[in-house]
Amino acid sequence: MATFPPAMAPDAATTALRDAVGTPGKVVIITLCAWSLGFALYGIWLCLTHVFRTADIHEVLPPVLATLLVWVMAALAVFTNENAEVPAPARIAFLLGGPVSVTVLSCWELYRLGKYHDVSVRQALGR
């Protein structure tokens, strides 16, 4: 992905680099940029097909895992104090907006799994 700035950045340093390497260098930079884009898209596809297929393990794992991960990220944001200059009401909205909405959607998904497919967290734990 480091090929994108030399290929596309409009600042003086990268423009000078593109001018210094000439046309053959520009062709190489653009070819590497296109390859990087293809590589990134292929990586995204692999993540979607292999990493994020947690429902293959058990149907309730995606909502439980999403809820857990979003609250862990919120806790990290509290401890790193990354939004210290933001006013308190906005900081609270930033901090709780994502986790609360993901938790509500995950609870709704668990409710629907239980109601329509008779799948529960208790069954996932083998009890």
Side-chain angles (χ1 to χ4, degrees):
M1 302 315 294
T3 60
F4 281 101
M8 308 222 177
D11 63 347
T14 53
T15 304
L17 172 72
R18 286 193 298 267
D19 291 339
V21 295
T23 303
K26 288 179 186 177
V27 170
V28 169
I29 289 173
I30 290 173
T31 303
L32 288 173
C33 187
W35 180 83
S36 296
L37 182 62
F39 184 78
L41 292 175
Y42 182 64
I44 291 169
W45 178 75
L46 285 176
C47 285
L48 291 174
T49 56
H50 297 293
V51 176
F52 297 137
R53 291 179 64 178
T54 56
D56 290 348
I57 298 169
H58 198 279
E59 292 85 357
V60 300
L61 192 56
V64 170
L65 189 61
T67 303
L68 175 71
L69 290 176
V70 75
W71 282 104
V72 166
M73 294 303 294
L76 285 174
V78 168
F79 291 122
T80 59
N81 202 17
E82 60 192 25
N83 295 321
E85 67 278 355
V86 178
R91 191 174 337 143
I92 291 170
F94 289 162
L95 184 64
L96 295 179
V100 169
S101 62
V102 169
T103 302
V104 168
L105 288 172
S106 294
C107 289
W108 177 253
E109 185 176 355
L110 288 171
Y111 167 75
R112 288 181 50 85
L113 281 171
K115 182 175 181 183
Y116 296 115
H117 303 287
D118 197 32
V119 176
S120 68
V121 176
R122 182 168 286 175
Q123 289 173 338
L125 297 174
R127 296 180 184 169

